[in-house]
Amino acid sequence: MASSTSPIGFFPAEQTTTTSTQEDMKNTDAVDSPLRSRTTTSTNPATAARRRTAINATPAKTSPNLCRSQSFGREIGHAASETYLITRLAFTLLRYLGVGRRWISRLLALGLYAMLLMPGFLQVLHQYFFSTQIRRSIVYGDQPRNRLDLYLPKNIDSPKPVIVFVTGGAWIIGYKGWGSLLGFQLAERDIIVTCIDYRNFPQGTISDMVEDVSRGISFICNNIANYGGDPNRIYLMGQSAGAHISSCALLKQAIIESKGGPTSWSVSQIKAYFGLSGGYNLTNLVDHFDQRGLYRSIFLSIMEGDESLQEFSPEILIEDPTAKKAVPLLPHIVLFHGTEDFSIPPDASITYVDALKRAGAKAELILYEGKTHTDLFIQDALRGGKEELFDYIVDYLHAGDTEALANDAMAPPRRRLCPEPLLKLAGLVSPF
């Protein structure tokens, strides 16, 4: 877990979009969505005139070499802007960490952990910036960081199942790019993955994060058919802090619907929810996070005060009498957790599943013996080959599709991206 000190509004909105992103945004013009950014619809007259002049001056044929050069330049520009954002996220984290002995040791461990896994990270980073299968930074709302990445299979000959993924980051350094490894690997199995970015602290607090994620889900539910996705097969998944935020968004939406409130998407559009290594009862985690370095004062600032902990604890809300009518609206909920997770103990998922079952929801828990907070999401993914969590998700999303299941059975195992000795050493030094 991590933390820093920076004024609200520290992060700038991402301004750079690639040509593919601009085309994606144009494709959504035919869809009536209130979540489109206002900045994409207004045009300065002088700018419009310059555009018309440029179009009229454009020759009928453009040199292929020039096109490739321009495309490469755009990719480099996007890579630079994304790297800048990630760097600012890192410095925000460092500001909250302070200079205490505990955090210096954790910072050194994190640096060593990243260095050991660098062979795999570099391959993923290159693919993220230069793959033609990804649509980066699609605008889904008018707030800073209201962007999402879309990972597409190579062949979309029929509507594909869709995972809406919300990445973690201790509510402070969450970033859509963290889900790129999952996105590319699932896209290889004919699954569309969309990774939602959202405001982090101190740019926003928990209610802002939940609002952003809900907007992102709404955008996908209403627009994914334009990208080859099946609107009848949408699944929601969150990891770590992202599991907490997405579960709050899902439950909040169910409560609104149960009371007849206005909505831009429906819980019925989500076929299942997958929570990976998440925390769902904040009142039980405050002291644990404080001992791990996410200090109480910072955590309470993120969660909008001690009095809001229950409001943003799905485990507590699910048993509130006012949520009784919302429970039947929830989709099938599957929680995954490693038994050796020290960042968020497995009890967080165990007690939430128990609460869901008591309330009458359909829920199940899958524990992975000996797995840590990062094993299931990072090390195992870099290890490649067959892996229980990955196979479970693929089989679940393709259930009932005999052709897709047959293709999965014949598909080559995931490619190894990092040598095993480095993965084992990284697991030993991991600060998570």
Side-chain angles (χ1 to χ4, degrees):
M1 288 297 163
S3 44
S4 96
T5 60
S6 177
I8 298 294
F10 179 85
F11 299 116
E14 293 178 69
Q15 300 296 327
T16 304
T17 55
T18 62
T19 297
S20 60
T21 299
Q22 294 169 348
E23 291 173 354
D24 291 335
M25 291 164 61
K26 290 177 183 177
N27 290 338
T28 63
D29 287 343
V31 181
D32 183 15
S33 173
L35 301 179
R36 290 289 308 281
S37 172
R38 289 188 293 272
T39 60
T40 63
T41 59
S42 60
T43 303
N44 183 282
T47 301
R50 286 195 298 271
R51 287 177 181 171
R52 286 194 295 270
T53 302
I55 291 173
N56 293 333
T58 301
K61 294 184 180 180
T62 304
S63 166
N65 291 333
L66 177 60
C67 288
R68 283 194 294 269
S69 176
Q70 291 174 339
S71 177
F72 183 74
R74 283 192 296 269
E75 296 297 344
I76 291 296
H78 183 81
S81 69
E82 296 288 285
T83 303
Y84 173 73
L85 176 62
I86 294 171
T87 302
R88 297 199 71 165
L89 286 173
F91 277 105
T92 300
L93 173 63
L94 291 176
R95 289 189 180 193
Y96 277 112
L97 298 184
V99 293
R101 179 176 57 84
R102 181 194 305 175
W103 273 114
I104 290 177
S105 63
R106 286 190 181 279
L107 183 61
L108 291 174
L110 178 61
L112 182 56
Y113 175 81
M115 288 178 60
L116 290 169
L117 299 182
M118 193 58 66
F121 289 160
L122 288 176
Q123 295 178 67
V124 177
L125 189 65
H126 179 272
Q127 191 175 13
Y128 177 75
F129 286 128
F130 298 103
S131 173
T132 59
Q133 290 178 247
I134 180 174
R135 304 291 181 266
R136 289 182 296 271
S137 296
I138 298 173
V139 176
Y140 70 79
D142 58 5
Q143 295 296 321
R145 304 283 299 281
N146 280 184
R147 307 289 188 271
L148 59 84
D149 291 336
L150 204 61
Y151 299 81
L152 303 174
K154 289 183 178 178
N155 298 312
I156 305 183
D157 49 2
S158 61
K160 304 299 182 184
V162 181
I163 277 191
V164 180
F165 182 71
V166 184
T167 190
W171 301 274
I172 297 173
I173 57 169
Y175 176 60
K176 56 187 172 63
W178 303 159
S180 56
L181 181 55
L182 177 74
F184 286 123
Q185 291 183 340
L186 286 176
E188 291 176 355
R189 301 302 178 92
D190 276 349
I191 295 170
I192 294 176
V193 179
T194 174
C195 294
I196 297 177
D197 215 356
Y198 53 90
R199 284 171 285 178
N200 288 183
F201 184 79
Q203 189 180 35
T205 54
I206 184 61
S207 59
D208 299 314
M209 301 175 201
V210 173
E211 178 186 354
D212 286 353
V213 167
S214 184
R215 283 185 177 185
I217 297 171
S218 175
F219 180 90
I220 292 301
C221 287
N222 293 310
N223 294 282
I224 195 60
N226 296 334
Y227 300 94
D230 187 346
N232 296 313
R233 288 189 293 168
I234 298 176
Y235 303 81
L236 179 61
M237 181 177 182
Q239 182 262 340
S240 191
H244 167 253
I245 297 168
S246 56
S247 63
C248 286
L250 184 66
L251 184 54
K252 178 182 178 182
Q253 185 71 14
I255 292 173
I256 292 174
E257 287 185 38
S258 70
K259 296 179 179 179
T263 61
S264 60
W265 63 282
S266 173
V267 173
S268 63
Q269 294 175 274
I270 307 299
K271 298 308 174 187
Y273 172 77
F274 304 122
L276 175 59
S277 307
Y280 311 97
N281 188 334
L282 302 182
T283 61
N284 292 342
L285 292 170
V286 177
D287 291 337
H288 174 77
F289 288 155
D290 185 74
Q291 293 171 5
R292 297 281 299 175
L294 185 54
Y295 302 120
R296 177 184 293 270
S297 60
I298 297 170
F299 186 68
L300 292 180
S301 295
I302 296 171
M303 298 304 160
E304 302 172 2
D306 186 75
E307 64 281 357
S308 296
L309 292 180
Q310 294 190 10
E311 179 185 351
F312 293 102
S313 293
E315 181 183 321
I316 296 175
L317 288 178
I318 201 71
E319 297 189 297
D320 191 301
T322 60
K324 186 175 182 180
K325 293 182 179 179
V327 174
L329 302 179
L330 293 174
H332 182 207
I333 294 175
V334 185
L335 302 186
F336 310 95
H337 224 115
T339 60
E340 297 300 316
D341 189 336
F342 300 111
S343 293
I344 301 180
D347 283 349
S349 290
I350 294 171
T351 57
Y352 186 35
V353 164
D354 290 342
L356 286 165
K357 290 180 177 179
R358 285 195 301 270
K362 184 182 179 183
E364 64 178 292
L365 171 68
I366 300 177
L367 294 176
Y368 294 94
E369 193 67 33
K371 298 295 185 179
T372 68
H373 194 68
T374 56
D375 276 331
L376 295 169
F377 186 62
I378 300 179
Q379 285 99 298
D380 286 349
L382 292 173
R383 184 171 282 115
K386 292 185 66 64
E387 189 259 319
E388 287 183 68
L389 173 61
F390 182 82
D391 291 342
Y392 179 96
I393 293 174
V394 171
D395 291 343
Y396 194 107
L397 269 63
H398 285 317
D401 188 337
T402 54
E403 182 179 353
L405 290 173
N407 291 336
D408 290 337
M410 294 187 298
R414 293 182 298 172
R415 185 168 58 93
R416 176 183 285 277
L417 299 176
C418 195
E420 187 62 26
L422 295 183
L423 290 169
K424 289 184 176 179
L425 285 174
L428 293 175
V429 303
S430 173
F432 302 105

